[in-house]
Every structure is written in C-alpha cells, then in structure tokens.
Amino acid sequence: MAAEQSVKRDILSQDLEFRPSPQARRLRSFIFLILSNLAVIIALGTLIILIADVLISGTPWLNLDFLTRADSRFPNRAGIQVALVGTLYMMALTIVIALPLGVMSAIYLEEYAGKDWTTQLIEVNINNLAAVPSVIYGLLGLQLFVRWLGMGRSILAGALTMALVVLPIIIVASREAIRAVPQSFREASLALGATRWQTIWNHVLPYALPGILTGNILAASRAIGETAPLITIGALTFVPFLPRDILDRFTVLPILIFNWTSKPQREFHDIAAAGIIVLLGTLLLLNAVAVLLRAKLQKRY
Amino acid sequence: MSLLEASIMRADASAKEQTLAQPGDPAYALEARNLSVFYGSFCAVRDVTLPVRKNMITALIGPSGCGKSTLLRSFNRMNDRVPGSRVEGGVFFHGQDLYAPNMDVVDVRRRIGMVFQKPNPFPKSIYENVAFGPRINGWHGSKSQMDELVEASLRRAALWDEVKDKLKQPGTALSGGQQQRLCIARAIAVQPEVILMDEPCSALDPVATLKIEELMQTLKQDYTIVIVTHNMQQAARVSDYTAMMMMRPDRAGEMIEMDETKTIFSRPRDKRTEDYVSGRFG
C-alpha cells in the first residue's frame, strides 16, 4: 500500500508555493468597485438631472386646462388634449392590431413550425426586423397604408404602421413566454388525447399569459414614445380638433412636444416640458400596470 | 446430453411462444412487430417484437440508454413530438397499426394513456385535473355525472379518501406520491385500455412507491399496464412479464429476451440478462 502511494506521487503531493499578495488583489477589487459605482452614478445622474430639469420648467404649466385644451399658436392657450387623445387612440388600436397577430405568430413558431431552415429564416428575419430603424417602417406605412390602401393620414394608418414597428417585440416576448411553459404540461395534455389546439388553449396560453401581457405592455410603451414613423406618414403637427373616428387625422404627444421645442418662444419650451411630464407619467403608469398584472396572474398558478 | 436436451426443450418452449404470438391474438392488448424507431438517421430501437398481454403488467428493463423509454413512447406515438422521428415496422392495437397513415393520433392517445416519470399534474384544482381529459374528449356528462366520474377515477387511483375534502385545491399542492396517483386518476378518467408508465416511481420515496405498486396490482384487473423501470426489484415485484433490453454497439436498443417475470429472474436464457438482473452491471 505504501509502495503504491510512493509510486503515485504527483504534483499535488508536493508543496506548492502560492503567492497570495492580498494587498494587490484587494486593491484591484476596490478599483473595480469604484468604477462600477461611477458608471451607475453617471447613468442615474443624467436621468435625475433630466427629470429635475423637466419638472422645474414644466410643473408650473401643468393643470387641468393644459390637459383639456387643444394646441394653439399662443403658449398660454395651448394644451395637449388632442395629442393625448391621439396617443391613447393610437396605442389602443396598435395593440388591438398587433397583439393577435404577434401572439398567433409566436404560437405558430413555437408550437407548430418544425425546426427546419424556413423556420430559422423566419426567426432571423424577425430578430432583424426588431432592429430596423422605425423611420423605415414609416416609409413603408406611407406607401402601403396612406397611399396604396388610401387610408390617408389617419389614426388607422398610424396604428397599422406602429403595429409593424412593435410586432417583432411582441413576437419575441410571446415566444419566450410560450417556451417557458414546461414541456411536461404539453405531454400530459397530449397523452390524454387532447389535440394540439386544446393543449395550447388550455395549458400553454394560460401559463404564458403573464409573459405575453408584459411583452405587449412594453410594446405599447414603445409605441407611445415612437415619433419618426408617424412624422413620416404625416401625423400632422398642428391639429386643433379631436379626431372623430379612426380615419380622422391626428397627432400624438411626442410630435407635439417636438413641435413645441422647435419654436423660438421660451414659453413653448416650458409647456413642452409639461408635455414630457404627462408622457413620462403615462409610460410609468403602463409599466406599473405591467408589473401588477404579472404579479397578479402569476399568483394563480 | 442433458444440456442438449435442455436446450431442445427450451427451443420447443420458444417455438410454442412463437405460435402463441400470432398476429392479432385476442390475448394481446398491444403488439410491437419488428419495430424500429429512428431519430433522424439515428436508430434508437431496432427490430423489437414485443407482445403485451391483456390485463397483465409488462415491465421493460435494461441499462440506461437501451431505448426502453423510446419503445414505451412509441406505443402511444408520443415520439411523434420529436422532430425527425419515424418508425419502421408497426405497433398493433386491435389488429390495426398505430402508425397507419389514416390512424388518428388523438384517439390513439386517449385509448393508450401515459403516466410520466415526474408527476406532472396541471397547475389547476384536483377536480379539474381529472375532469380535463373527459371534457376535451367531448364527453357531455352533466355536472353530477362529472362529479361521479371524478370520484370514481380518484377512487380507482386510491386517492379519493385523501383528497375528497379538498378537490378545489391545486393538484400541485399534493405530495409527490399523491401527485403521481392524481396523474393515474387523470389517465383513468378517459377510459384507456392500456396505461404506459415511464419510471413512475423514480421520483418517489419508498412508501409512495409501495402504494403505486399496490395500486398497479388492482389496476391490472381493468387495464393493461406497460412499465419502464430502472428498479429490478420493482420489476420482479409487480410485473407478470418482463422484456430485457440492451444497447447494441451501434447504440441502438434491442430486446434481448422476453418471458414471464419469474423466468427472467430465475433462469434467463441470455447471459446478459442474468448479469443484469443479478446486479452485476447496469
């Protein structure tokens, strides 16, 4: 036994000389800590300064009149009502169009499509579409919806264009949510004689719902903030009347804000800040709804 | 001389076995005939002929990777879910090939149920877990008939007394052994003829395992059971017939032999079976 051990002397049986150099290692840790803290301070600091600046110049203008008045050539008579309504209209319509399309595409890709090269091609293209600059969607929307389909510069044309912008986001988020549903549920359901659709309807969609809704609300926030595609399709910057229906012309908050900031009068810059507060508030509200919905739905399972 | 005699007798016995294994014999609930299962170009199970006797428990044993689960999952076409899977040969059920082009896979799975390795109740109430199968298969019983069906299924799965006061509670809140019996109740509720069990006790403690094994003995009066198990004692305890599988050098699984369980465990024909059941490898 002893002889066998002496034969098997390897490097681990020798005394290895370690040089721990604790100071140098600790110093390096410390430097890294400082650097990463600095990065956070820069990122958050910018945001805080931005919000503070907006709040300081915008708050005095923020009142009920501001919310319920249409745009005007005079800053003390201008309000955001038309743009706010336009934004809400467009966001709702965008989701109504994009949600079924996106979720159904995700279901097809996850549950029905085989894993061959066509699926991979579609997959690559969806990921690429998510990265396409939104102004290009605007050009597409201008040609397709505004001109060819004769919708004009309407809310419907804007919502359809915006649906194209957010569709990849919805598809990617829904696919991830669907993929997260354990295979064992699908197998259990299929083994009982359920069809694929019964399995999807009863066991895949309910468990994927929180993730799908979160993805959709994030897509909605994106749709609220987007400006470029709507400018391209000609969402007018000066609309003094509320839209009567979805085929009426419209404007949205970001365009209104952009329009005000490009005016020379200082008061317009201040009411633009007030508009930004409303826009940020709406975004924050949406995200809060997303978080709450997620928490509520997840408790059920 | 006696050795020769013995081998002749054995050959006779296997010849008799062969004549018994006539296609479509009513004593068989399910028959694999020259069944090979492929995943793409990889052959996972090669040329298995396995008759499954009615109202008996047939165990599939063998070392890891020998294709037991693949074979089991080909009996209700669960392998269809794997992209690129295909079979050669056939699995016959009431004289019909399950893999015939006009066969309705949904109906196959209703009549040949499955219990999985890990208990997988739906994250719904105990009641809904059992009621789901009949409902999606188009059973239009009244509320009270459904209650009756749920109760009968849970009784047969020996779970009723433990859950009758909490049918509205989620199935996932039960213990592992109870969850597995819930899965059995769920499978029973759609009136299958055959129940496939893929290592149903491997995630359970010995007490829960014993309960499932006892349950299997009562279930076989009404159903035919095929069970895959890693546990040789379990195969010896519960099954009437045992099929021994091994992995060939090309990694395809093949069936070494099949016989009554007591024969497999006392005097198997194949040396590899003897080594395996006596715990010399695997």
Side-chain angles (χ1 to χ4, degrees):
Chain A
M1 201 65 184
E4 205 177 296
Q5 269 181 354
S6 66
V7 172
K8 278 192 178 169
R9 278 188 83 83
D10 55 9
I11 188 159
L12 277 175
S13 23
Q14 298 163 21
D15 268 338
L16 304 177
E17 234 180 277
F18 295 108
R19 292 197 191 84
S21 67
Q23 269 103 16
R25 285 202 288 177
R26 252 176 241 153
L27 186 66
R28 253 173 288 171
S29 295
F30 184 68
I31 290 173
F32 186 74
L33 182 73
I34 296 288
L35 282 178
S36 48
N37 269 330
L38 210 63
V40 172
I41 288 168
I42 290 172
L44 275 184
T46 326
L47 189 67
I48 288 169
I49 291 170
L50 191 79
I51 291 176
D53 182 45
V54 165
L55 283 178
I56 288 166
S57 37
T59 320
W61 294 86
L62 209 56
N63 52 41
L64 202 62
D65 278 350
F66 180 69
L67 293 178
T68 53
R69 268 194 312 236
D71 193 9
S72 161
R73 279 181 292 136
F74 309 101
N76 50 357
R77 275 201 255 152
I80 58 164
Q81 189 200 31
V82 175
L84 185 60
V85 169
T87 286
L88 294 178
Y89 250 121
M90 216 208 44
M91 184 194 73
L93 204 54
T94 300
I95 288 304
V96 165
I97 296 163
L99 185 138
L101 276 178
V103 174
M104 285 194 282
S105 308
I107 289 174
Y108 171 75
L109 287 171
E110 283 301 313
E111 301 288 327
Y112 288 101
K115 295 280 172 259
D116 54 3
W117 66 270
T118 40
T119 324
Q120 283 189 340
L121 194 72
I122 294 172
E123 213 159 289
V124 169
N125 271 307
I126 288 172
N127 291 334
N128 283 340
L129 283 178
V132 168
S134 53
V135 68
I136 294 175
Y137 286 104
L139 289 173
L140 175 68
L142 178 66
Q143 190 62 26
L144 185 65
F145 303 125
V146 176
R147 292 191 186 146
W148 284 353
L149 296 177
M151 291 173 190
R153 302 171 165 189
S154 60
I155 297 181
L156 183 62
L160 283 167
T161 309
M162 204 53 96
L164 291 180
V165 176
V166 299
L167 203 51
I169 305 174
I170 293 180
I171 294 177
V172 169
S174 304
R175 285 188 70 180
E176 264 160 33
I178 288 171
R179 211 177 305 150
V181 176
Q183 283 297 332
S184 64
F185 292 161
R186 293 187 182 85
E187 294 203 323
S189 171
L190 291 171
L192 289 169
T195 60
R196 269 184 175 187
W197 172 244
Q198 285 173 322
T199 301
I200 291 167
W201 182 251
N202 288 291
H203 297 295
V204 176
L205 283 182
Y207 316 141
L209 200 59
I212 291 175
L213 284 180
T214 311
N216 273 286
I217 291 171
L218 289 180
S221 344
R222 168 95 190 267
I224 289 183
E226 276 294 346
T227 322
L230 296 181
I231 291 180
T232 325
I233 68 157
L236 295 177
T237 48
F238 186 83
V239 181
F241 306 109
L242 279 176
R244 280 163 311 208
D245 55 40
I246 56 169
L247 289 173
D248 213 350
R249 46 185 211 157
F250 72 111
T251 192
V252 291
L253 276 177
I255 292 182
L256 183 70
I257 291 165
F258 172 74
N259 187 32
W260 281 346
T261 50
S262 49
K263 291 196 177 189
Q265 298 97 314
R266 186 170 159 74
E267 288 85 355
F268 270 118
H269 300 175
D270 288 344
I271 60 170
I276 291 173
I277 296 173
V278 175
L279 187 62
L280 284 179
T282 317
L283 278 171
L284 214 64
L285 199 70
L286 262 185
N287 284 331
V289 169
V291 172
L292 285 178
L293 257 182
R294 205 188 173 98
K296 193 171 155 58
L297 285 170
Q298 269 175 345
K299 252 183 236 160
R300 275 174 52 200
Y301 302 110
Chain B
M1 198 59 192
S2 67
L3 252 176
L4 185 64
E5 267 173 17
S7 73
I8 288 169
M9 275 177 65
R10 216 172 277 164
D12 275 349
S14 66
K16 205 171 157 197
E17 188 91 4
Q18 294 283 306
T19 51
L20 268 177
Q22 283 301 316
D25 189 313
Y28 297 144
L30 202 65
E31 285 178 76
R33 282 191 219 146
N34 302 106
L35 180 74
S36 299
V37 183
F38 297 86
Y39 295 129
S41 59
F42 170 67
C43 178
V45 169
R46 191 182 296 285
D47 198 22
V48 168
T49 296
L50 172 74
V52 175
R53 281 173 174 75
K54 251 184 205 152
N55 297 99
M56 299 273 180
I57 300 176
T58 303
L60 305 180
I61 62 167
S64 296
C66 71
K68 310 180 290 285
S69 287
T70 300
L71 180 63
L72 188 80
R73 292 166 74 90
S74 68
F75 288 166
N76 68 343
R77 294 191 51 176
M78 276 315 252
N79 282 334
D80 289 17
R81 280 174 52 67
V82 182
S85 71
R86 67 192 165 85
V87 300
E88 284 172 12
V91 179
F92 288 82
F93 180 65
H94 290 286
Q96 279 178 297
D97 187 356
L98 295 183
Y99 286 90
N102 59 347
M103 185 58 71
D104 179 12
V105 63
V106 169
D107 192 44
V108 168
R109 292 185 185 142
R110 206 246 333 135
R111 293 168 68 175
I112 304 178
M114 192 162 210
V115 175
F116 297 85
Q117 184 170 359
K118 221 175 131 228
N120 57 355
F122 300 126
K124 300 183 173 201
S125 71
I126 293 169
Y127 185 96
E128 283 303 319
N129 261 281
V130 182
F132 174 72
R135 210 170 275 153
I136 50 136
N137 280 290
W139 186 64
H140 293 294
S142 64
K143 170 84 177 81
S144 64
Q145 281 175 311
M146 183 62 95
D147 291 349
E148 209 181 315
L149 178 60
V150 168
E151 178 177 342
S153 304
L154 286 168
R155 276 192 194 283
R156 280 204 189 178
L159 188 61
W160 175 252
D161 291 332
E162 292 159 61
V163 300
K164 61 184 172 195
D165 300 322
K166 46 179 181 178
L167 293 176
K168 292 275 170 282
Q169 285 180 24
T172 41
L174 297 171
S175 74
Q178 289 174 323
Q179 287 189 17
Q180 197 62 303
R181 276 179 283 147
L182 177 60
C183 291
I184 292 173
R186 182 174 69 182
I188 289 173
V190 293
Q191 294 194 313
E193 293 163 50
V194 181
I195 302 176
L196 309 173
M197 297 186 170
D198 190 359
E199 298 184 43
C201 303
S202 63
L204 305 182
D205 67 61
V207 178
T209 299
L210 185 67
K211 274 210 159 137
I212 302 266
E213 289 180 2
E214 285 170 359
L215 174 60
M216 288 172 70
Q217 293 306 322
T218 51
L219 285 178
K220 76 174 188 182
Q221 294 161 14
D222 300 294
Y223 311 95
T224 304
I225 298 175
V226 185
I227 176 175
V228 162
T229 177
H230 264 126
N231 181 335
M232 246 96 56
Q233 286 79 14
Q234 183 171 58
R237 278 194 301 264
V238 301
S239 71
D240 303 294
Y241 285 84
T242 298
M244 168 74 195
M245 294 184 69
M246 288 274 292
M247 192 161 73
R248 294 154 37 120
D250 63 356
R251 302 182 59 80
E254 63 178 345
M255 202 176 88
I256 301 292
E257 64 176 301
M258 168 173 187
D259 214 324
E260 284 187 49
T261 298
K262 56 176 186 284
T263 313
I264 290 280
F265 280 88
S266 56
R267 38 192 170 81
R269 272 171 279 173
D270 197 290
K271 179 80 172 69
R272 289 168 294 180
T273 310
E274 191 183 333
D275 287 349
Y276 186 72
V277 298
S278 58
R280 241 165 277 168
F281 80 95

